[in-house]
């Protein structure tokens, strides 16, 4: 990032010295799934557009690019109402998809979609910070995990547990495709006082959480804690122009790819290291 831009962004964020009271911090974190369920109750399937852009950003999603199996397997975490899975299923006729979300209402919308077929897609409710994915998906069986705008909805102290959970179901050499909000994104800079829970973690008006990542934070989570190999990890920028509202600025995202070790023994060894560093200091068990 440009040094001048970073300095201005840090100056803006430094002005917000207040944080949400501890009671409300704990409440928002504990009720993350409930608040997203309420979101889908209000907005049903009408809020997000289908993500037809993902194969342009991630070549692994193009037919036959990485998958060597006759029936490749993909898991989408935080599937919402299916805006990612419908385009990718259409693009890859041989693909088998698992899709999970911690909102029962969202999963219900996926199953109710006319494009849903149990032969190619299995949607299920799962909180990836505490519900073991391997109870539904065989260990070391998934080629690709898509994590697109989902980790930002998780409290930072629970993110490492989610990484360990995902690593358990990845095939040797399987990949995680990651895209989410980057530090100093326009949305972060626009939060007014009273929305900050802690550094880089905010609560929206509807009670849902939004965390803003640095590339270093991703490296800590997926490489140092998760035992995965970093293939790509960088910021990506999207110009936002609205003449009527006099807006001309950039959205900032982090985009990354991480790969499971080639042998399952290395994965299992990484999983055995369950004592992970808490971003706020101290230590954290991956099961909590």
């Amino acid at each position: 990032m440009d040094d001048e831009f970073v300095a201005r962004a840090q100056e803006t964020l430094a002005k917000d010295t207040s944080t949400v009271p501890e009671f409300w911090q704990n409440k928002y974190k504990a009720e993350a799934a409930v608040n997203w369920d309420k979101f889908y109750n209000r907005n049903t399937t009408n809020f997000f557009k289908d993500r037809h852009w993902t194969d342009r950003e991630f070549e692994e999603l193009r037919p036959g690019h990485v998958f060597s199996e006759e029936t490749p397997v993909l898991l989408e975490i935080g599937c919402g109402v299916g805006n990612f899975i419908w385009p990718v299923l259409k693009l890859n006729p041989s693909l088998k998809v698992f899709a999970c979300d911690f909102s029962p209402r969202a999963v219900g919308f996926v199953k109710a979609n006319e494009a849903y077929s149990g032969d190619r897609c299995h949607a299920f409710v799962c909180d990836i910070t505490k519900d073991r994915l391997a109870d539904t998906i065989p260990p070391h069986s998934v080629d690709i995990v898509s994590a697109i705008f989902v980790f930002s909805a998780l409290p930072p102290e629970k993110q490492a547990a989610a990484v360990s959970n995902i690593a358990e179901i990845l095939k040797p050499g399987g990949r995680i495709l990651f895209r989410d909000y980057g530090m100093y994104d326009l949305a972060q800079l626009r939060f007014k006082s009273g929305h900050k829970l802690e550094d880089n973690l905010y609560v929206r008006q509807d009670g849902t959480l939004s965390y803003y990542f640095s590339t270093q934070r991703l490296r800590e989570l997926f490489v140092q804690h998760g035992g995965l190999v970093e293939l790509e990890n960088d910021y990506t920028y999207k110009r936002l122009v609205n003449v009527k509202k006099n807006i001309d600025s950039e959205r900032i995202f982090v985009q990354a790819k991480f790969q499971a070790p080639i042998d399952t023994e290395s994965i299992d060894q990484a999983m055995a290291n369950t004592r992970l560093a808490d971003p706020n200091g101290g230590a954290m068990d991956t099961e909590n």
Side-chain angles (χ1 to χ4, degrees), residues 1-61:
M1 294 185 197
D2 178 76
D3 290 343
E4 186 177 342
F5 168 77
V6 170
R8 290 199 307 270
Q10 289 176 339
E11 183 180 354
T12 298
L13 295 178
K15 294 177 182 177
D16 186 5
T17 58
S18 64
T19 56
V20 173
E22 184 178 0
F23 170 83
W24 287 101
Q25 289 188 35
N26 294 334
K27 184 175 176 63
Y28 287 131
K29 291 179 178 182
E31 296 180 357
V34 172
N35 288 325
W36 273 106
D37 212 48
K38 291 178 180 177
F39 171 90
Y40 288 114
N41 183 47
R42 288 190 303 272
N43 297 288
T44 64
T45 60
N46 301 317
F47 192 83
F48 299 111
K49 296 179 180 178
D50 282 354
R51 292 171 172 165
H52 294 283
W53 51 266
T54 53
D55 63 300
R56 296 195 300 271
E57 296 292 336
F58 298 108
E59 58 195 16
E60 290 85 352
L61 299 176

Side-chain angles (χ1 to χ4, degrees), residues 1 5-6 9-10 13 182-186 188-189 212 252:
M1 294 185 197
F5 168 77
V6 170
Q10 289 176 339
L13 295 178
M183 240 168 61
Y184 311 137
D185 178 49
L186 176 65
Q188 181 182 17
L189 300 179
Y212 296 84
I252 301 175

Side-chain angles (χ1 to χ4, degrees), residues 69-88:
E69 298 288 337
E70 188 172 316
T71 305
V73 178
L74 179 146
L75 165 66
E76 186 190 16
I77 56 172
C79 66
V81 298
N83 299 104
F84 167 83
I85 59 177
W86 309 132
V88 80

Side-chain angles (χ1 to χ4, degrees), residues 9-275:
Q10 289 176 339
E11 183 180 354
T12 298
L13 295 178
K15 294 177 182 177
D16 186 5
T17 58
S18 64
T19 56
V20 173
E22 184 178 0
F23 170 83
W24 287 101
Q25 289 188 35
N26 294 334
K27 184 175 176 63
Y28 287 131
K29 291 179 178 182
E31 296 180 357
V34 172
N35 288 325
W36 273 106
D37 212 48
K38 291 178 180 177
F39 171 90
Y40 288 114
N41 183 47
R42 288 190 303 272
N43 297 288
T44 64
T45 60
N46 301 317
F47 192 83
F48 299 111
K49 296 179 180 178
D50 282 354
R51 292 171 172 165
H52 294 283
W53 51 266
T54 53
D55 63 300
R56 296 195 300 271
E57 296 292 336
F58 298 108
E59 58 195 16
E60 290 85 352
L61 299 176
R62 300 170 197 164
H65 183 79
V66 164
F67 302 124
S68 59
E69 298 288 337
E70 188 172 316
T71 305
V73 178
L74 179 146
L75 165 66
E76 186 190 16
I77 56 172
C79 66
V81 298
N83 299 104
F84 167 83
I85 59 177
W86 309 132
V88 80
L89 278 169
K90 185 176 181 180
L91 190 64
N92 296 273
S94 64
L95 185 65
K96 166 76 174 179
V97 170
F98 289 94
C100 69
D101 200 286
F102 60 9
S103 164
R105 199 174 301 272
V107 172
F109 283 127
V110 171
K111 291 183 174 181
N113 192 294
E114 61 182 14
Y116 184 81
S117 168
D119 293 335
R120 297 191 61 202
C121 184
H122 176 62
F124 61 103
V125 177
C126 178
D127 181 341
I128 59 170
T129 68
K130 62 180 182 180
D131 300 330
R132 188 171 179 242
L133 286 165
D135 288 341
T136 302
I137 305 169
H140 313 312
S141 67
V142 174
D143 296 279
I144 295 288
V145 174
S146 64
I148 300 176
F149 298 108
V150 57
F151 267 77
S152 54
L154 307 177
E157 65 270 18
K158 295 183 178 182
Q159 291 168 359
V163 172
S164 295
N165 197 3
I166 295 166
E168 188 180 12
I169 52 84
L170 269 178
K171 280 182 181 177
R175 296 183 179 183
I176 298 174
L177 309 180
F178 186 101
R179 185 176 172 113
D180 221 316
Y181 302 111
M183 240 168 61
Y184 311 137
D185 178 49
L186 176 65
Q188 181 182 17
L189 300 179
R190 283 185 164 182
F191 272 111
K192 298 189 183 332
S193 182
H195 289 265
K196 182 179 176 182
L197 277 68
E198 56 190 77
D199 286 347
N200 300 320
L201 179 65
Y202 297 80
V203 62
R204 300 186 184 92
Q205 201 68 39
D206 61 4
T208 58
L209 300 178
S210 187
Y211 184 84
Y212 296 84
F213 288 91
S214 66
T215 53
Q216 178 58 35
R217 172 64 177 160
L218 291 188
R219 193 167 294 117
E220 291 170 358
L221 283 172
F222 289 91
V223 179
Q224 296 176 18
H225 300 331
L228 304 176
V229 178
E230 180 182 299
L231 301 179
E232 295 179 14
N233 182 13
D234 207 349
Y235 298 100
T236 184
Y237 306 90
K238 181 178 179 181
R239 199 90 190 161
L240 178 64
V241 178
N242 189 318
V243 177
K244 289 184 178 180
K245 295 183 178 180
N246 195 29
I247 296 174
D248 185 0
S249 57
E250 284 185 326
R251 298 300 307 271
I252 301 175
F253 307 111
V254 281
Q255 187 161 304
K257 299 178 186 179
F258 300 97
Q259 183 169 288
I262 299 302
D263 60 291
T264 57
E265 189 175 325
S266 296
I267 301 175
D268 291 335
Q269 180 59 45
M271 289 294 299
N273 298 327
T274 57
R275 202 70 181 161

